[in-house]
Amino acid sequence: MSSHNSSSRYLVMSLELRDNRGQWEAYESTGHCIVLAGPGSGKTKTLALKLARILAEDVRAPRGVACITFSQECSRELVRRLDALGIKESSRLFIGTVHGFCLRHLLVPYSRLANLGLPQPIVVSTIEQNRAVFEAVSVQLFGVRNSYRQHDVDNHRRAYFNRQSPEWQSKPELARIAEAYEGELHRRGLVDFEDLVLYGQRLLIQHSWVLPLIRAKFPVLAIDEYQDLGVGLHKIVQRLAFNGGVRLFAVGDADQSVYGFNGADSSLLLELAARLDVQCVRLSLNYRCANGIIDAAERALGEVRGYRSSDVSRVAQVEIIHRPLGIADQARYAVENLIPHVLLSTPGRQLGDIAILYRNAEIGDLVARSAQFAGLNFMRIDNAAPYRKCAVISWIEDSAAWCSGGWRTAQPKLGGLIDRWCRFHQARLSDAARQHESRMLATFLWARRGNGEAFEFLAALRTELLDVLLSTDRTLNDQRVQVDAMSRALSPGGALAGLDLARLGGRDGAPNQLNLLTFHSAKGCEYGVVIILGLDEGVFPWSNETGDELQESRRLFYVALTRARDEVHLIYSGWSANRFGRRFDNGMSRFLRDLISL
């Protein structure tokens, strides 16, 4: 775990929670606890300090804590927070996605013993392999011209885990494709991400002997962003916490549930919070947003939550801007007029303090072109990004950050990079092997200090270290594909050609880079100034949205607004056009109308 010095560090920092009643109540909890945390409420800080306390005071080594996060970036941020407390990931501390937890701590050690019928060894399929298998079985079952989409089949698989239930057969053709797809995938010796959660919960539900084994290793289970994680994780939590004796500490916000299209269900969080055997804590103080932004966000949400800013003296700016010439004009105006203005209006403000948010990558293309024309550096995070974040990719970026200057500031720490590298080796390393791997990586990174070319750095890293691991550990099969995509993006002629190590290491945002993000990608981020484009009816929300979809879009707008600390600029044209050029004069988004009318 950590030294006495790092243990005392969490004790000192925990004193900062005393002035916040909700944070302190969560920190002091001793049983199952659900923390309902509004935007900017310090939930990651609370979670990190709670994990530090549990490891130091509640759980005796070698037992530990498993912390499940929504995404790799959530994991990365939590690791950084714990690293600042002097706590490193180890055999006592798992931090990762639900898929990573199921793979590493459920299926790899126990699936063969439980005779679950999974191919052995477990190899996680790539996106391309999934597509190929799905296309083959859908064509075989329903012909070349069938209209079935893999997304719909995967959602059916996420929603109904019991294949004997009437709900599973409620859409018989989806069920038929799903069963054929899974069978063919396994015949090829592969499992996909949905399999990891499906078989993880089957293992726990059908094989009670696994429960005490999990509890012996991880007597505490922590979960971040619970509202986004879906029914599969919920079943795992119910089994471990309320049948297996594992203590639960979970954080989430139903108002920020925006992944319903992937099977997330915010009611699962509220269901847990309402249990009589669970302590429910609410965090209502907002450390990010000024009160004017909080008020606008609650009006947009259509619900009064009673959140308030921690600093009542701060003044917010919420501006609605009409640009009648269309979405391309919105993008030009944001880049050429708004950004210079907001940079000059506040001393010390940098380009990295500004984010432009939009609904989809097509709008992002327009913003990127405007930024390029204006000569602005920018970082783009949306579906058009050249590679997907995963554990290995995040580690490569952090290694680049260390080489380009982080070695001076210990941000990130070399020890943390070495620990993460050693954990990628699925087989437990002997002491001698761990020392060898640690020495090789340290030597490699130390020799490459300086702001060199990212492409050359990655090529050398792959040649000397990474490719050996990726070719021998088949559980990293899907991550190898992302490393290949990163190599292509950094190569001459690629999307990120010419990138240096500092910019590669700052791909989560850097002071001299404008941030371009979709609404979904912006979740968990914060900026001094947020500019939101495309607030036209028919674009956001889409014209065909009703019911739950419309409510989710409203929550998405709420999330976008609450990324801002001081300023929000909301831009609309009052009309939109489809891909055939037909114009629709539907006016501003109903979400904007709600801000004006209330």
Side-chain angles (χ1 to χ4, degrees), residues 117-374:
L118 287 176
Q120 298 290 339
I122 293 176
V123 179
V124 180
S125 57
T126 67
I127 294 174
E128 289 75 16
Q129 288 171 324
N130 295 342
R131 287 173 180 162
V133 172
F134 180 82
E135 182 177 347
V137 299
S138 62
V139 168
Q140 182 180 17
L141 290 175
F142 298 107
V144 175
R145 298 183 181 276
N146 79 83
S147 60
Y148 294 104
R149 299 186 306 163
Q150 186 170 0
H151 177 79
D152 296 328
V153 173
D154 285 344
N155 269 347
H156 195 67
R157 296 167 68 205
R158 292 185 195 111
Y160 308 114
F161 278 69
N162 181 0
R163 301 303 169 78
Q164 309 307 315
S165 68
E167 290 82 5
W168 175 251
Q169 290 297 336
S170 62
K171 297 179 180 179
E173 292 185 343
L174 289 184
R176 188 179 172 194
I177 295 178
E179 291 168 1
Y181 165 80
E182 291 171 353
E184 178 60 18
L185 199 68
H186 297 173
R187 191 189 68 78
R188 299 187 187 192
L190 301 169
V191 298
D192 69 0
F193 281 128
E194 305 311 324
D195 276 331
L196 297 179
V197 181
L198 170 65
Y199 282 89
Q201 65 89 26
R202 277 188 190 173
L203 176 73
L204 294 177
I205 290 173
Q206 297 175 4
H207 300 275
S208 296
W209 55 268
V210 177
L211 296 177
L213 298 177
I214 301 300
R215 186 176 67 246
K217 187 171 186 177
F218 296 126
V220 180
L221 175 65
I223 302 173
D224 191 17
E225 302 286 8
Y226 196 100
Q227 76 281 351
D228 289 329
L229 286 160
V231 68
L233 174 73
H234 188 64
K235 289 180 178 295
I236 289 171
V237 166
Q238 287 179 309
R239 186 66 169 155
L240 288 175
F242 306 117
N243 298 107
V246 173
R247 176 177 156 198
L248 174 66
F249 185 86
V251 180
D253 181 9
D255 291 334
Q256 296 186 71
S257 178
V258 294
Y259 290 96
F261 59 89
N262 273 339
D265 183 353
S266 61
S267 68
L268 302 177
L269 171 65
L270 300 178
E271 175 189 314
L272 275 185
R275 287 182 63 113
L276 296 179
D277 53 354
V278 170
Q279 179 183 1
C280 179
V281 176
R282 295 181 182 272
L283 303 185
S284 299
L285 199 61
N286 188 316
Y287 293 94
R288 177 190 303 150
C289 308
N291 269 327
I293 293 172
I294 296 172
D295 293 342
E298 291 198 347
R299 292 201 303 273
L301 185 64
E303 302 280 351
V304 176
R305 297 295 186 231
Y307 298 134
R308 63 191 189 283
S309 175
S310 61
D311 184 356
V312 296
S313 65
R314 287 171 56 201
V315 177
Q317 180 182 0
V318 180
E319 179 185 28
I320 297 176
I321 301 168
H322 183 212
R323 299 297 302 178
L325 298 183
I327 189 67
D329 181 57
Q330 293 180 35
R332 285 192 297 270
Y333 177 80
V335 170
E336 297 175 9
N337 297 80
L338 264 183
I339 288 175
H341 172 74
V342 299
L343 286 174
L344 291 173
S345 65
T346 302
R349 180 172 282 162
Q350 297 176 285
L351 199 57
D353 296 323
I354 305 170
I356 299 181
L357 309 186
Y358 40 84
R359 177 150 208 178
N360 55 40
E362 287 75 17
I363 299 176
D365 290 339
L366 298 174
V367 183
R369 283 199 287 270
S370 293
Q372 286 173 330
F373 184 79

Side-chain angles (χ1 to χ4, degrees), residues 5 72 81 101 322 359 476 534 537:
N5 184 49
Q72 180 55 39
R81 299 288 186 110
F101 177 77
H322 183 212
R359 177 150 208 178
L476 297 175
E537 190 72 12

Side-chain angles (χ1 to χ4, degrees), residues 436-484:
H436 174 71
E437 292 291 339
S438 300
R439 186 165 52 251
M440 287 183 64
L441 178 60
T443 301
F444 177 90
L445 295 178
W446 194 258
R448 284 163 179 79
R449 288 172 299 150
N451 195 22
E453 234 187 55
F455 176 66
E456 293 179 359
F457 172 84
L458 179 58
L461 180 63
R462 296 193 67 170
T463 299
E464 296 187 30
L465 293 168
L466 192 53
D467 280 353
V468 174
L469 173 67
L470 294 175
S471 63
T472 55
D473 191 336
R474 299 182 70 189
T475 64
L476 297 175
N477 188 40
D478 62 312
Q479 301 200 47
R480 175 187 54 76
V481 173
Q482 300 310 319
V483 175
D484 290 341

Side-chain angles (χ1 to χ4, degrees), residues 300 318-321 532 534-537 540-541 554 557 561 569-573 588-598:
V318 180
E319 179 185 28
I320 297 176
I321 301 168
I532 304 178
L535 293 175
D536 301 290
E537 190 72 12
F540 188 61
R554 186 175 293 280
F557 185 46
L561 285 169
H569 302 272
L570 308 165
I571 309 181
Y572 77 101
S573 297
M588 67 170 63
S589 166
R590 68 186 70 188
F591 303 146
L592 276 190
R593 292 200 300 270
D594 290 343
L595 290 188
I596 294 171
S597 62
L598 291 178

Side-chain angles (χ1 to χ4, degrees), residues 352-585:
D353 296 323
I354 305 170
I356 299 181
L357 309 186
Y358 40 84
R359 177 150 208 178
N360 55 40
E362 287 75 17
I363 299 176
D365 290 339
L366 298 174
V367 183
R369 283 199 287 270
S370 293
Q372 286 173 330
F373 184 79
L376 298 181
N377 290 327
F378 62 89
M379 184 56 56
R380 183 174 178 182
I381 304 176
D382 57 29
N383 292 338
Y387 54 83
R388 179 175 58 83
K389 293 296 182 74
C390 61
V392 173
I393 290 293
S394 293
W395 175 80
I396 293 171
E397 291 177 348
D398 285 346
S399 296
W402 187 89
C403 288
S404 62
W407 61 276
R408 294 190 184 92
T409 61
Q411 293 296 329
K413 292 189 171 104
L414 178 60
L417 293 173
I418 291 172
D419 287 340
R420 288 159 67 187
W421 168 249
C422 290
R423 280 195 306 278
F424 287 139
H425 296 74
Q426 190 65 40
R428 185 174 179 85
L429 295 175
S430 66
D431 289 343
R434 182 181 177 87
Q435 289 175 6
H436 174 71
E437 292 291 339
S438 300
R439 186 165 52 251
M440 287 183 64
L441 178 60
T443 301
F444 177 90
L445 295 178
W446 194 258
R448 284 163 179 79
R449 288 172 299 150
N451 195 22
E453 234 187 55
F455 176 66
E456 293 179 359
F457 172 84
L458 179 58
L461 180 63
R462 296 193 67 170
T463 299
E464 296 187 30
L465 293 168
L466 192 53
D467 280 353
V468 174
L469 173 67
L470 294 175
S471 63
T472 55
D473 191 336
R474 299 182 70 189
T475 64
L476 297 175
N477 188 40
D478 62 312
Q479 301 200 47
R480 175 187 54 76
V481 173
Q482 300 310 319
V483 175
D484 290 341
M486 175 185 262
S487 292
R488 289 193 297 272
L490 294 173
S491 66
L496 300 177
L499 206 67
D500 57 27
L501 288 182
R503 291 180 65 196
L504 179 64
R507 284 191 53 81
D508 292 329
N512 65 340
Q513 293 176 340
L514 174 67
N515 301 282
L516 310 183
L517 308 96
T518 59
F519 298 145
H520 284 97
S521 299
K523 196 166 181 293
C525 301
E526 63 176 79
Y527 305 96
V529 179
V530 167
I531 302 168
I532 304 178
L533 304 185
L535 293 175
D536 301 290
E537 190 72 12
V539 176
F540 188 61
W542 301 125
S543 56
N544 60 348
E545 287 184 23
T546 59
D548 291 342
E549 286 184 342
L550 183 60
Q551 283 304 110
E552 182 158 309
S553 286
R554 186 175 293 280
R555 292 195 297 269
L556 194 57
F557 185 46
Y558 173 77
V559 167
L561 285 169
T562 54
R563 301 310 94 195
R565 291 190 292 270
D566 303 303
E567 295 182 30
V568 178
H569 302 272
L570 308 165
I571 309 181
Y572 77 101
S573 297
W575 62 273
S576 61
N578 63 18
R579 60 194 179 95
F580 303 109
R582 183 183 175 188
R583 175 169 167 151
F584 299 89
D585 292 287

Side-chain angles (χ1 to χ4, degrees), residues 1-137:
M1 150 72 191
S2 53
S3 66
H4 173 75
N5 184 49
S6 60
S7 295
S8 61
R9 199 178 307 171
Y10 92 85
L11 289 171
V12 171
M13 291 191 66
S14 69
L15 297 178
E16 298 175 8
L17 305 182
R18 282 187 175 272
D19 293 333
N20 184 310
R21 180 178 175 181
Q23 289 181 341
W24 188 251
E25 190 178 344
Y27 180 73
E28 289 277 273
S29 64
T30 56
H32 299 315
C33 182
I34 301 295
V35 182
L36 301 180
S41 59
K43 59 101 174 169
T44 306
K45 177 181 180 179
T46 304
L47 176 58
L49 287 168
K50 182 65 174 178
L51 289 172
R53 181 175 190 175
I54 290 169
L55 285 166
E57 302 177 24
D58 300 350
V59 178
R60 182 175 298 178
R63 306 174 87 195
V65 179
C67 182
I68 293 174
T69 62
F70 171 66
S71 67
Q72 180 55 39
E73 291 313 295
C74 292
S75 300
R76 191 177 183 183
E77 176 59 26
L78 192 53
V79 166
R80 288 171 178 166
R81 299 288 186 110
L82 290 169
D83 195 49
L85 296 172
I87 297 170
K88 296 184 283 189
E89 283 187 88
S90 66
S91 59
R92 293 191 64 208
L93 177 62
F94 168 84
I95 300 176
T97 64
V98 62
H99 305 99
F101 177 77
C102 289
L103 174 65
R104 186 169 163 186
H105 295 292
L106 297 180
L107 299 181
V108 167
Y110 305 122
S111 64
R112 191 192 298 267
L113 289 171
N115 195 27
L116 292 180
L118 287 176
Q120 298 290 339
I122 293 176
V123 179
V124 180
S125 57
T126 67
I127 294 174
E128 289 75 16
Q129 288 171 324
N130 295 342
R131 287 173 180 162
V133 172
F134 180 82
E135 182 177 347
V137 299

